[in-house]
Amino acid sequence: MTPAETLAAAGLTAADLSGGTLVVTSPVDGSELARLSETDPATMPQVIARATEAFRKWRIVPAPRRGELVRLLGEELRAAKVALGALVTLEVGKIASEGLGEVQEMIDICDFATGLSRQLYGLAIASERPGHRMTETWHPIGPVGIISAFNFPVAVWSWNAALALVCGDPVIWKPSEKAPLSAIAAHRALERAIARFGDDAPEGLSQLVIGGAAIGEALVASPAVPVISATGSTRMGQIVGPKVMARWGRPILELGGNNAMIVAPTADLDMAVRAIVFGAVGTAGQRCTSLRRLIAHRSVRDDLIARLRRAYASLPVGDPRVEGTLIGPLIDRAALQAMQTALTAARDQGGTVHGGAPVTQGVPNGAYVAPALVEMPAQTAIVRHETFAPILYVLTYDTLDEAIALQNDVPQGLSSCIFTRDLLEAETFLSAAGSDCGIANVNIGPSGAEIGGAFGGEKETGGGRESGSDAWKGYMRRQTATVNYSTRLPLAQGVRFDF
Ligand code: UN1
């Protein structure tokens, strides 16, 4: 398909794609895809006011009925899967299978949220006073601002939007400026679902705002947007988090990762190699969950490196639309430059670099690279830094304690894993004294999490949780209620106040 056909198949019209100033290019070949109109930052107060008005109506629609809207969104996404997946591939360069996988992740969260709409359970709590009962109820909280990144340009929105809508909250989405077209197409799927859903969906229930920092800033600063869910760099989170908290809002932050795999002496190395390669070079190393550090036991290290070097040499780098390609482009030239700068730093810090050179053959205008494997003498500054590119640093360990200490000794805390067939090692890794990350896996790589679990991590990763488990509670307010059905007024804690 030509880019024009991909855009048309995803429902983008000539009017959508022209007339504005935001130039969107494809990392596949550097070609211009669109000049989009941006949201005027001066209109943000109206956008937020519309969401506030929508909230007044949406919060009293019964939750299972709200779930029906998200069920319809899932239907729309099923119908649009192929077209939307191809657009993601064109706009951010992930290979076709990963573009489709991203849309599947959206469908999955819609299914999850639809079921959840009948399970927003509270608690009944035993009161210490006679004739009293206590309950805990979850209520809608208000408009949710969603700031998403280029690397999962539609799935991360859906994790937030599907939950927020079921929880009774309108949503305002500011996608990455590097991936607004996928956002427009995904948002249209929700608009179609809303049209089918009928009058219960208030105007302004879901809004998409396109543009740069000023727009995000308006959401972040507004007390009328009680929840801001932001995915992106730690630098971005460091700005957004304190600003939201300063006006008593609730940030849900998904920031950097520096994810490691420990490969123990008993590991199945064939399986480990498959997991390492997907984790480190899948999505061209541009997942927040990408594998960035390999902590190999001294007894398997050389074998592992030899196998990985062979595997790396055979990985097809190129046009992500072409069947068989496994590594598409980086998002832009700046990302390519950042990767080269990191490799230079690694060399300066004693590293031996295999691969990592730019690739131009057959792909003249994108930012294509060969993945890099870097043997490091120690966990130096560059290893502790997240570079959003396919660089895998290899470290060596002798004892499991040492491996866990290395795994935890980075500022980030998103994902982690161990390959071992030793039960004691696996359980130690998952224990309170083990991995300090939000995600810890055994005999599975660090990326490609299912939506059923809570997704997020500690330390510089920001502490937020999205997606499955009870992450929905982040999109609601909790109310504790005590009801007295007796004819007396006893005070708690036995306090006497007779008059
Ligand atoms: C991200 O990179 O921001 O676990 C999200 C994974 C995907 C989500 C990644 N399900 O790799």
Side-chain angles (χ1 to χ4, degrees):
M1 274 217 263
T2 64
E5 286 165 348
T6 301
L7 294 167
L12 297 167
T13 64
D16 292 326
L17 301 171
S18 58
T21 50
L22 178 60
V23 178
V24 186
T25 55
S26 170
V28 174
D29 59 5
S31 64
E32 184 175 309
L33 297 175
R35 285 180 182 246
L36 286 183
S37 304
E38 298 186 47
T39 306
D40 179 353
T43 63
M44 286 305 287
Q46 285 103 285
V47 169
I48 294 168
R50 269 200 295 279
T52 302
E53 190 49 35
F55 176 57
R56 295 170 57 80
K57 299 178 180 140
W58 190 239
R59 66 185 176 180
I60 52 172
V61 173
R65 174 87 182 118
R66 300 194 298 247
E68 169 63 8
L69 172 60
V70 174
R71 192 189 68 78
L72 293 173
L73 172 60
E75 277 189 5
E76 293 295 336
L77 290 170
R78 279 179 170 85
K81 181 174 173 181
V82 171
L84 187 54
L87 177 58
V88 168
T89 290
L90 179 67
E91 191 174 31
V92 305
K94 42 176 88 177
I95 61 170
S97 162
E98 291 196 60
L100 292 171
E102 168 150 9
V103 183
Q104 186 57 47
E105 194 162 346
M106 305 173 80
I107 295 167
D108 294 343
I109 195 71
C110 287
D111 286 356
F112 179 92
T114 302
L116 179 69
S117 71
R118 292 180 182 271
Q119 300 173 82
L120 299 171
Y121 296 140
L123 290 175
I125 300 167
S127 169
E128 67 192 48
R129 286 170 281 187
H132 286 57
R133 68 179 181 87
M134 290 172 71
T135 55
E136 180 174 284
T137 306
W138 293 91
H139 290 307
I141 192 167
V144 174
I146 304 169
I147 299 172
S148 62
F150 78 83
N151 66 330
F152 274 80
V154 286
V156 168
W157 165 71
S158 72
W159 298 349
N160 287 281
L163 293 193
L165 289 171
V166 157
C167 290
D169 305 329
V171 290
I172 305 170
W173 180 16
K174 184 213 164 303
S176 164
E177 288 165 271
K178 294 175 186 171
L181 299 177
S182 303
I184 293 173
H187 198 253
R188 292 257 163 91
L190 179 54
E191 285 167 355
R192 288 193 297 275
I194 288 174
R196 288 169 61 197
F197 182 74
D199 292 344
D200 281 356
E203 196 265 330
L205 181 57
S206 178
Q207 300 177 82
L208 176 66
V209 288
I210 304 262
I215 288 171
E217 179 72 28
L219 292 174
V220 164
S222 173
V225 184
V227 178
I228 296 286
S229 176
T231 302
S233 66
T234 296
R235 198 181 57 81
M236 177 279 288
Q238 222 146 25
I239 298 168
V240 167
K243 283 192 179 168
V244 173
M245 291 177 78
R247 47 93 172 164
W248 311 110
R250 185 187 297 170
I252 300 176
L253 300 175
E254 299 292 350
L255 311 175
N258 194 347
N259 318 297
M261 178 192 294
I262 297 172
V263 182
T266 60
D268 178 328
L269 290 191
D270 289 338
M271 252 169 66
V273 166
R274 292 178 62 80
I276 292 164
V277 173
F278 175 67
V281 315
T283 330
Q286 299 174 111
R287 290 191 188 214
C288 54
T289 49
S290 288
L291 180 64
R292 310 214 177 276
R293 298 178 296 138
L294 185 62
I295 304 173
H297 190 267
R298 196 174 298 280
S299 64
V300 295
R301 176 186 186 279
D302 290 349
D303 188 10
L304 204 50
I305 289 178
R307 289 173 188 235
L308 287 171
R309 289 186 65 184
R310 273 200 301 280
Y312 269 43
S314 73
L315 294 172
V317 179
D319 187 325
R321 298 167 300 184
V322 172
E323 179 77 33
T325 298
L326 292 178
I327 306 178
L330 295 175
I331 187 67
D332 54 23
R333 308 283 309 172
L336 187 141
Q337 194 47 53
M339 177 173 174
Q340 299 309 313
T341 303
L343 293 178
T344 301
R347 278 191 199 93
D348 291 348
Q349 291 167 28
T352 304
V353 177
H354 308 286
V359 172
T360 50
Q361 205 185 358
V363 282
N365 290 318
Y368 291 83
V369 285
L373 198 62
V374 186
E375 297 177 59
M376 292 301 293
Q379 188 147 270
T380 63
I382 193 65
V383 181
R384 293 161 52 82
H385 173 82
E386 178 192 45
T387 302
F388 228 52
I391 302 176
L392 180 62
Y393 299 107
V394 186
L395 302 163
T396 314
Y397 80 93
D398 292 298
T399 66
L400 184 64
D401 281 354
E402 194 190 334
I404 291 174
L406 275 172
Q407 132 72 36
N408 290 344
D409 186 23
V410 292
Q412 310 84 355
L414 179 56
S415 189
S416 60
C417 54
I418 187 168
F419 267 73
T420 181
R421 285 182 289 195
D422 180 329
L423 178 71
L424 276 60
E425 286 190 337
E427 291 292 339
T428 302
F429 180 74
L430 299 180
S431 76
S435 164
D436 65 0
C437 290
I439 298 172
N441 297 333
V442 175
N443 295 331
I444 295 176
S447 63
E450 301 178 17
I451 57 89
F455 183 89
E458 311 304 339
K459 303 190 291 187
E460 280 190 4
T461 303
R465 290 297 185 278
E466 294 172 358
S467 207
S469 182
D470 67 350
W472 59 271
K473 291 178 178 171
Y475 304 81
M476 303 199 86
R477 66 184 171 87
R478 182 195 316 243
Q479 183 175 76
T480 304
T482 308
V483 174
N484 177 5
Y485 59 92
S486 76
T487 54
R488 308 179 76 87
L489 195 70
L491 299 176
Q493 297 90 42
V495 171
R496 302 286 305 266
F497 204 82
D498 298 329
F499 58 91

